[in-house]
Amino acid sequence: MHEQDIAIVKALVPIAWADDDFASAEKEMLDALLEAYQATELEKKNVHDFAATKKTLEDIELQDLSAEDRRVLLQHAVLLTFCDGAQSAGELALLKQLADKLRIPTAEAQATMDAAAERAKKLLHLL
């Protein structure tokens, strides 16, 4: 697994913890991403260990993420907020904070989040 892929998955952990509950659906999505990125067992363990305690946006290591990786992260984060079937106002606010932290321009971030939310709504039956 590439370092930037691990950084993307680890950066999703604060989003999963947004409501103070790292729910099973969120864990399943992170595990699916680890599988998609072909993580080794050690890499999976490291991500699981990292996710075992609550993380915040401050725990995201920006230097590990290219401009493209940051946009992928934002798209994945939007999908993650729909894991329980709906995106809460608190999750939406956190996504906006994430976009700011990732230094994605406001208009681009909003367009990215809107497009990802539309995709998530169409795929809710799979999440």
Side-chain angles (χ1 to χ4, degrees), residues 9 26-36 44 47-48:
V9 176
E26 294 161 331
K27 290 175 185 174
E28 289 172 15
M29 183 173 165
L30 290 183
D31 284 341
L33 285 170
L34 289 168
E35 285 297 319
K44 290 176 189 176
V47 170
H48 290 159

Side-chain angles (χ1 to χ4, degrees), residues 73-94:
L73 167 57
L74 184 58
Q75 291 172 348
H76 286 338
V78 171
L79 293 175
L80 186 61
T81 64
F82 279 94
C83 273
D84 60 358
Q87 184 185 67
S88 72
E91 289 170 326
L92 183 56
L94 185 63

